[in-house]
Amino acid sequence: MSAEIESVLHENRVFDPPAAFAKAARVGSMQAYTDMVARADKDYEGYWGDLAREHLTWSKPFTKVLNQDNPPFFKWFEGGELNVSANCLDRHLNSWRKNKAAIVWEGEPGDTRTLTYQELAHEVGRFANVLKGKGVTKGDRVVIYMPMVPELPIAMLACARIGATHSVVFGGFSAEALKDRILDAGAKILITADGGWRRGSAVALKVMVDDALKGCPEVSTAIVLKRTGQEVAMQEGRDVWWHDAIAGQSPKCDPVPVDPEHPLFILYTSGSTGKPKGVVHSSGGYLLGATTTMQWVFDIKDEDTYWCTADIGWVTGHSYIVYGPLACGATSVMYEGAPTTPHAGRLWEIVEKHSVNIFYTAPTAIRALVKLGDEWPHKFDLSSLRLLGTVGEPINPEAWMWYYKTIGGERCPIVDTWWQTETGMHMISPLPGATPIKPGSATLPVPGIFADVVDQEGNSLGPNQGGLLVIKRPWPSMIRNVYGDPQRYKDTYWGEFGGKYYFAGDGARKDEDGYFWIMGRVDDVINVSGHRLGTMEVESALVSHDQVAEAAVVGCPDDLKGEGIFAFVITKGDAKNDDALVKTLRDHVAKEIGPIAKPDHIKFTDALPKTRSGKIMRRLLRDIAAGRETRGDTSTLEDAGTLESLRKGE
Ligand code: PRX
């Protein structure tokens, strides 16, 4: 960790917001920013309460902004009622935005679709009626496993319309991972597709679903969108085609008003122990967080064409492709496929084609695009861009500078947004018309968020001292629970500092200007291409193979992905530790979790470095995986010889 601190300390470039940008921005100066922070500090409830009244449409006004009677189970906007889909759709239909493009969609093979707010509302209404017809009611959980097609947000909004809680499972997850999530959520209905297009081929989804549903007897209905036209088996009585289901349905379906605390969605994310956690998000507070940051951080305006390249299977897609943009009445571009299909300039081609003004992607994508060479972005007209964003992991200053110069033409501010599945909204990020930016820093908390860097006792640390990143007050779009496991929610997020602060699991430091520099996870979580994977999950997948006796997984540096996965594996007596087994194990992990979790390196060993109490010393394994000298104390190691033999690769 100390090495990371040192390397970023050399970064002292600062870029002020361009004057014209600042002049037109929603938050146009540091003065405006600090005024908002001061107001929030002085009158926290008044601040968020006013924003909730200004930005959301309530069918019943709330009477209390924040109820803190039973921490950490905080309640926001008590007494109120609203419907999230009505906030994303209906309220625009009474305005000129009725015929404005809500979603501009590009399929990978080159097919396109544009849905106006009116059209989107009708599709959502029809599909909400389908769900109702299938017996789905308020509070039911609906799992969605789909490619990046407009029917995915349509399905989400249809759930929201009738008060059902959706759980979107990323289409890259395996049948096994899908099954676990369906079972944990207790879903009886699944929405899916035959497949989706990715890198020129039709990736099968329904086949995975068929496999997953063998272990989910409670699922009585699967609605299947025809996207690729590939051959699928439809199970009589359970599976119905989307197009058959919506035929003849009314486009109108009254929105069901819900309590602002009503769970809008569950999204599974990795933790350091056990199975993935179902992060539960609310309706009112969540939508407020997504909407306000859409305006502050992305400075979204009615004229903008905005594009976030994330997959909706992750939180970024929930907050910043679906709910944030639509609640703001924005035009959101959605792309189905791979960034390099059919050519390495596909993203830039889409920017040119739709005159994209705001572009949001991940550092891992930027690093991959850098490698492809400047000739690709240079082939296309990127002059429409006015703002760039990144999310998911720290961005190295070199990638930042490339993004700034080659993509942004040195005219676009970059918002490096730090947040998490659990936070629901951007937490630390520049406001592009106000905050001077430094390459590699997420800069300052958004107004109304009180973040700090503390030591293990919870004391604030001074400038440039590395410590733990915490949030000191509950905020509207925060995680409400771990689905079905309130104790895990309490322990994971509020246990570290006795319930006083939310602990994010990240290390960070603040510089002399109070700017935050995120140093990465401090727990056993690996950040692969901006997505979290628990080392435990990969280990469980490995040991579920019959030739594996024990496994330990750590992160290792990876130029493209940020972090790669390094697995140390002890095989059973009769196993042959050869390349064929490496391949088998990698494929096995892909089958258990998904291709994203495939170990990049597998090293066979006879023993793992353990403490006398039997705990694997991952710190030492991380050093080996990174090819570094062992740092720190090794006196608690049970058998010093293990380390030597691991290094030698014996
Ligand atoms: O470690 C931080 C890193 O990603 C984690 C959250 O992962 P996830 O819940 O999958 O959400 C990713 C998209 C919001 C954080 O705990 N992270 C996220 N954004 C940044 C970041 N690290 C550094 N800089 C960022 N901008």
Side-chain angles (χ1 to χ4, degrees):
M1 218 172 251
S2 56
E4 285 173 29
I5 295 176
E6 270 185 24
S7 69
V8 288
L9 270 177
H10 300 310
E11 183 53 63
N12 46 24
R13 286 169 285 203
V14 182
F15 298 84
D16 286 325
F21 191 106
K23 194 153 174 265
R26 286 177 177 270
V27 183
S29 66
M30 277 312 270
Q31 188 57 51
Y33 166 77
T34 47
D35 287 350
M36 290 165 83
V37 174
R39 159 98 210 273
D41 189 23
K42 221 170 73 206
D43 176 18
Y44 197 59
E45 291 192 36
Y47 172 80
W48 284 116
D50 284 352
L51 289 168
R53 277 181 286 266
E54 183 190 336
H55 293 287
L56 302 184
T57 302
W58 298 84
S59 44
K60 190 171 153 210
F62 52 89
T63 48
K64 182 160 180 57
V65 174
L66 173 60
N67 177 332
Q68 308 198 56
D69 291 348
N70 181 26
F73 299 93
F74 302 101
K75 290 186 181 157
W76 285 85
F77 310 121
E78 224 169 30
E81 275 184 0
L82 83 172
N83 180 281
V84 170
S85 94
N87 271 273
C88 291
L89 301 168
D90 307 41
R91 62 174 168 166
H92 306 312
L93 304 184
N94 304 320
S95 77
W96 67 269
R97 291 194 189 99
K98 181 172 73 173
N99 294 317
K100 177 179 174 177
I103 295 177
V104 175
W105 176 79
E106 284 274 332
E108 192 185 80
D111 44 345
T112 64
R113 247 170 104 189
T114 297
L115 287 151
T116 64
Y117 274 93
Q118 171 100 65
E119 289 165 337
L120 183 61
H122 285 169
E123 294 302 325
V124 169
R126 274 191 196 98
F127 198 68
N129 285 326
V130 169
L131 293 177
K132 268 167 72 173
K134 295 285 173 196
V136 178
T137 56
K138 189 170 155 184
D140 286 351
R141 276 82 55 219
V142 175
V143 168
I144 305 178
Y145 183 66
M146 291 183 93
M148 283 286 286
V149 290
E151 283 79 3
L152 169 51
I154 289 167
M156 295 161 77
L157 290 161
C159 289
R161 195 150 193 93
I162 60 171
T165 300
H166 61 70
S167 185
V168 181
V169 176
F170 171 54
F173 278 128
S174 68
E176 199 59 30
L178 173 63
K179 182 191 79 182
D180 289 347
R181 287 156 175 77
I182 294 172
L183 292 176
D184 191 83
K188 298 195 180 66
I189 179 161
L190 177 79
I191 304 162
T192 187
D194 48 359
W197 291 104
R198 192 86 195 160
R199 292 194 187 89
S201 10
V203 176
L205 289 177
K206 180 62 167 53
V207 174
M208 298 280 190
V209 166
D210 292 339
D211 215 10
L213 291 190
K214 282 185 201 141
C216 306
E218 294 289 306
V219 173
S220 54
T221 307
I223 302 175
V224 188
L225 178 81
K226 189 173 270 193
R227 164 64 185 138
T228 57
Q230 67 205 97
E231 188 89 20
V232 297
M234 296 292 278
Q235 185 176 308
E236 184 79 33
R238 185 193 70 190
D239 301 346
V240 296
W241 287 108
W242 176 295
H243 55 265
D244 289 337
I246 59 163
Q249 294 286 354
S250 160
K252 294 230 181 304
C253 173
D254 286 338
V256 174
V258 299
D259 187 284
E261 285 299 304
H262 183 72
L264 175 64
F265 65 87
I266 303 169
L267 192 56
Y268 286 84
T269 190
S270 300
S272 51
T273 52
K275 289 213 176 256
K277 312 177 272 239
V279 171
V280 179
H281 274 291
S282 69
S283 297
Y286 170 77
L287 193 63
L288 181 64
T291 310
T292 48
T293 48
M294 196 66 214
Q295 301 185 20
W296 298 333
V297 174
F298 290 132
D299 190 43
I300 192 83
K301 308 260 180 55
D302 263 318
E303 315 72 79
D304 284 320
T305 300
Y306 158 90
W307 182 20
C308 163
T309 68
D311 191 290
I312 293 178
W314 310 108
V315 73
T316 306
H318 281 58
S319 299
Y320 299 112
I321 297 180
V322 183
Y323 292 113
L326 296 178
C328 292
T331 296
S332 182
V333 174
M334 189 176 162
Y335 172 54
E336 176 186 34
T340 51
T341 306
H343 57 75
R346 185 69 191 269
L347 298 186
W348 317 128
E349 184 180 52
I350 295 175
V351 168
E352 176 182 285
K353 179 174 173 190
H354 297 292
S355 297
V356 171
N357 309 107
I358 305 171
F359 180 76
Y360 189 38
T361 195
T364 184
I366 298 170
R367 288 192 295 268
L369 293 163
V370 172
K371 290 219 158 141
L372 297 172
D374 289 3
E375 63 268 31
W376 289 103
H378 287 159
K379 273 190 204 191
F380 299 94
D381 179 4
L382 305 181
S383 63
S384 58
L385 291 171
R386 69 179 190 92
L387 176 62
L388 302 172
T390 72
V391 58
E393 58 183 307
I395 178 163
N396 45 313
E398 296 68 36
W400 194 101
M401 286 309 302
W402 182 84
Y403 198 31
Y404 185 73
K405 285 191 175 153
T406 311
I407 304 307
E410 298 185 53
R411 89 190 158 265
C412 307
I414 297 179
V415 288
D416 175 348
T417 61
W418 177 87
W419 59 297
Q420 307 178 292
T421 305
E422 293 86 343
T423 69
M425 68 186 236
H426 300 146
M427 300 293 277
I428 303 178
S429 170
L431 306 193
T435 321
I437 46 181
K438 304 184 188 182
S441 170
T443 75
L444 300 167
V446 302
I449 294 301
F450 292 85
D452 200 1
V453 176
V454 300
D455 66 16
Q456 288 191 326
E457 276 75 54
N459 306 307
S460 293
L461 290 170
N464 295 317
Q465 286 185 288
L468 306 173
L469 179 57
V470 296
I471 311 297
K472 293 188 154 176
R473 300 187 198 184
W475 65 101
S477 68
M478 60 186 281
I479 173 177
R480 293 307 200 272
N481 208 342
V482 171
Y483 189 71
D485 198 349
Q487 192 61 42
R488 192 166 174 201
Y489 163 67
K490 260 172 118 162
D491 294 347
T492 310
Y493 303 106
W494 301 90
E496 196 75 20
F497 300 101
K500 213 161 95 188
Y501 303 144
Y502 168 88
F503 175 48
D506 281 352
R509 71 181 169 90
K510 284 200 283 182
D511 68 15
E512 47 293 319
D513 297 322
Y515 278 39
F516 286 75
W517 298 78
I518 311 296
M519 287 151 49
R521 305 289 308 180
V522 297
D523 52 15
D524 286 327
V525 170
I526 315 178
N527 189 327
V528 180
S529 303
H531 301 297
R532 277 193 278 170
L533 281 172
T535 52
M536 269 279 296
E537 282 170 84
V538 185
E539 285 164 9
S540 321
L542 283 166
V543 295
S544 74
H545 190 273
D546 59 12
Q547 306 232 280
V548 175
E550 206 178 338
V553 166
V554 294
C556 62
D558 185 293
D559 276 357
L560 278 187
K561 297 195 286 186
E563 261 190 303
I565 303 176
F566 201 118
F568 295 86
V569 172
I570 305 179
T571 49
K572 293 195 176 147
D574 53 349
K576 217 166 142 222
N577 296 348
D578 55 8
D579 288 350
L581 185 57
V582 168
K583 182 174 183 313
T584 306
L585 293 180
R586 295 183 73 225
D587 292 346
H588 179 70
V589 174
K591 185 174 156 283
E592 292 292 307
I593 307 176
I596 192 176
K598 264 189 186 180
D600 301 281
H601 311 275
I602 293 184
K603 188 173 178 117
F604 295 112
T605 175
D606 293 332
L608 292 166
K610 291 189 182 166
T611 61
R612 286 183 186 91
S613 58
K615 261 186 146 172
I616 295 173
M617 294 185 73
R618 292 169 187 286
R619 177 165 61 79
L620 304 179
L621 292 177
R622 274 194 287 268
D623 288 339
I624 293 173
R628 286 190 296 253
E629 280 298 302
T630 308
R631 295 175 303 189
D633 182 31
T634 53
S635 60
T636 52
L637 199 59
E638 195 198 9
D639 175 5
T642 323
L643 213 54
E644 269 317 292
S645 63
L646 265 173
R647 281 210 179 281
K648 287 202 208 105
E650 283 165 6

